[in-house]
Amino acid sequence: MKKKYIIANWKMELTPQQAQQLAQDFAQVTKKNTWAEDRQVIICPSFTDIIPIVALLSHSQIEIGAQDVFWSDYGAYTGSISASSLRHLGCTYVIVGHSERRKYQHETDREIGQKIAAVLQAGLVPILCIGETFAERQGGGKEAALMKQLTEALSDIHLTDKDNILVAYEPVWVIGSGQAVNPQDANQTHQLIRRTLGEFWPTSIVNKIGIIYGGSVNHLNIKDFMYQPNIDGVLVGGASLSVDKFWPIINY
Ligand code: PGA
């Protein structure tokens, strides 16, 4: 059974108290309710909230992810956090190359590729974010932008049958805008992404990769995305910040 991924990206939106309260709220709700077996729910809090949130959700089926990682596992890299540290803290997933990091931390596709290698090496699952800007889309450069991001980050990555990786297609210009792209449009883009992945890895591996959509997903549009054949899940920012908004997304 192929999993459907419902991933919450809490960004830097919450204080430690708010993040723990929200995790507690999810722990309560998951005690009393379940969701369809094919759903994998993942919450990605700030680094500083990982330890208490892993503890608060340890009895639930929710997995924990980090929002970034460093590409080396050890050494004189002040302020950086390694993939093996994240694994020891209880993370199983790591978001890599989110457009906000590309924009504000000037992350390059090459660095993002190195981070993916580090995450896989530590036995975790990278969630690679790619997406075109509005200017790229308007100028007819959407496909080229996506291909470049995929090729530079992934073409040197050797995946085995045991590895797992997710690709999140997030059109940069709709993130946080309240206006998602047309789900059919996203579905077609996901097809193109899977075709491109087929240039790097064998079909048996590529067919198992989850390609998820992100950008203004909410309880009103979730069904339209999840019923598309090539959309394997969603990465949710704003609408993951309360149980009231996120629970209907999990239970679309
Ligand atoms: P949004 O964010 O759901 O608030 O648009 C998505 C993301 O940045 O991953």
Side-chain angles (χ1 to χ4, degrees):
M1 177 176 47
K2 204 168 176 189
K3 280 185 186 168
K4 302 284 190 192
Y5 296 91
I6 316 282
I7 308 178
N9 176 9
W10 286 358
K11 308 194 181 190
M12 203 182 71
E13 301 278 16
L14 304 169
T15 64
Q17 289 79 3
Q18 289 170 331
Q20 287 175 45
Q21 182 59 57
L22 186 50
Q24 238 154 31
D25 295 346
F26 278 113
Q28 283 298 328
V29 153
T30 54
K31 233 190 237 170
K32 295 189 211 121
N33 306 278
T34 49
W35 52 74
E37 238 181 277
D38 64 344
R39 317 242 158 119
Q40 177 64 65
V41 180
I42 302 156
I43 290 180
C44 304
S46 291
F47 287 131
T48 44
D49 298 323
I50 288 172
I51 292 175
I53 288 177
V54 166
L56 283 165
L57 294 174
S58 61
H59 298 294
S60 76
Q61 293 159 303
I62 299 175
E63 301 270 0
I64 305 301
Q67 297 176 16
D68 181 43
V69 67
F70 191 59
W71 45 262
S72 178
D73 216 45
Y74 171 81
Y77 301 106
T78 303
S80 300
I81 295 179
S82 72
S84 50
S85 295
L86 294 173
R87 194 191 61 230
H88 287 300
L89 297 185
C91 289
T92 38
Y93 292 81
V94 184
I95 296 174
V96 178
H98 191 281
S99 63
E100 287 151 12
R101 294 201 59 85
R102 292 175 189 259
K103 180 174 176 189
Y104 300 115
Q105 269 74 29
H106 311 291
E107 280 188 11
T108 64
D109 290 310
R110 215 181 104 68
E111 255 178 282
I112 289 163
Q114 289 175 301
K115 290 182 175 196
I116 288 171
V119 172
L120 290 168
Q121 179 69 29
L124 303 178
V125 180
I127 305 165
L128 167 63
C129 297
I130 60 166
E132 80 284 2
T133 61
F134 188 63
E136 284 166 339
R137 191 179 182 100
Q138 288 297 91
K142 172 184 136 182
E143 292 187 7
L146 298 178
M147 297 309 99
K148 177 180 176 294
Q149 289 171 17
L150 286 172
T151 306
E152 290 189 12
L154 297 179
S155 56
D156 286 339
I157 303 282
H158 299 288
L159 279 191
T160 69
D161 269 340
K162 287 195 206 92
D163 294 319
N164 190 11
I165 179 170
L166 304 180
V167 176
Y169 168 54
E170 299 206 298
V172 177
W173 47 285
V174 298
I175 292 176
S177 71
Q179 185 62 57
V181 296
N182 180 313
Q184 279 98 8
D185 181 330
N187 187 59
Q188 272 177 9
T189 306
H190 284 211
Q191 248 176 328
L192 175 83
I193 291 169
R194 196 174 300 282
R195 259 208 310 279
T196 307
L197 299 180
E199 293 170 19
F200 314 140
W201 306 307
T203 320
S204 59
I205 290 181
V206 170
N207 285 347
K208 285 193 297 189
I209 294 175
I211 303 179
I212 66 177
Y213 168 80
S216 294
V217 172
N218 58 37
H219 68 287
L220 298 174
N221 61 24
I222 181 69
K223 276 196 175 68
D224 298 336
F225 283 103
M226 294 309 293
Y227 289 171
Q228 300 293 330
N230 299 303
I231 297 187
D232 303 313
V234 285
L235 180 53
V236 187
S240 71
L241 296 171
S242 79
V243 173
D244 286 352
K245 289 184 183 160
F246 198 50
W247 191 250
I249 294 177
I250 297 173
N251 289 292
Y252 64 88

